[in-house]
Amino acid sequence: MKKVNCIFIVDDDPITVFGIKKMLRSVTHCDDVQIFQNGHEAYEAIKERQEKGENIPDVIFLDINMPIMDGWGFLDELIDLDIDEHVVINMITSSIDPADHKKWNSFKDRCPHILNFKNKPIFKIEPADLGCINVAS
């Protein structure tokens, strides 16, 4: 099972958050799973962790449509942070608008992190969603 130090779930839908947490238990071990209702809360938490020298998330599950700061706004801010580690960011959305996929592609080109795109509902978390090729038992 893949050991992950820190996971952020940034989504304002409690059903999605519940599902992601449940699926994570079967594929990884992580003692630090943080939940945020919007991108602003998650961004501030990352900045605070960075200032304190604490672990930033290895993996982020990031909803696109949220109040206060959506996923796109979060990515804009995150890209500007000086982060040496490559964070695995799983963009999750219920949108079927092709413009969202196109926007994701443009972010992929300028984002220093690993950026995946997943449609809701999420039925399975794959090893690549955690930043690994294989998940060993």
Side-chain angles (χ1 to χ4, degrees):
M1 189 174 290
K2 167 97 171 150
K3 169 76 169 122
V4 178
N5 292 318
C6 178
I7 298 172
F8 277 16
I9 302 172
V10 188
D11 197 314
D12 61 329
D13 177 27
I15 294 171
T16 299
V17 171
F18 175 81
I20 291 171
K21 285 174 62 177
K22 186 173 175 80
M23 284 183 273
L24 283 171
R25 279 188 227 117
S26 68
V27 295
T28 189
H29 176 75
C30 183
D31 293 325
D32 187 8
V33 178
Q34 302 294 314
I35 311 300
F36 302 94
Q37 299 293 310
N38 62 68
H40 178 73
E41 292 175 356
Y43 175 74
E44 290 300 320
I46 290 173
K47 279 189 359 185
E48 183 177 324
R49 282 173 176 250
Q50 199 175 31
E51 289 166 5
K52 291 180 176 179
E54 297 174 352
N55 286 336
I56 61 163
D58 300 307
V59 178
I60 299 173
F61 289 88
L62 178 65
D63 188 17
I64 291 176
N65 297 310
M66 295 175 288
I68 303 173
M69 179 188 278
D70 66 10
W72 304 123
F74 173 85
L75 278 180
D76 274 331
E77 298 292 327
L78 186 69
I79 287 170
D80 289 339
L81 286 179
D82 185 25
I83 298 174
D84 294 329
E85 300 88 354
H86 290 285
V87 180
V88 177
I89 304 167
N90 298 290
M91 301 292 296
I92 52 178
T93 183
S94 55
S95 170
I96 57 170
D97 186 349
D100 283 330
H101 199 268
K102 187 175 180 182
K103 196 168 188 175
W104 167 74
N105 266 319
S106 72
F107 268 100
K108 252 179 80 166
D109 292 340
R110 62 188 179 98
C111 184
H113 306 290
I114 300 163
L115 201 57
N116 300 319
F117 190 89
K118 301 183 88 47
N119 285 98
K120 290 181 184 180
I122 297 173
F123 294 107
K124 184 176 182 184
I125 293 179
E126 302 289 339
D129 301 332
L130 302 173
C132 59
I133 304 301
N134 294 321
V135 175
S137 299

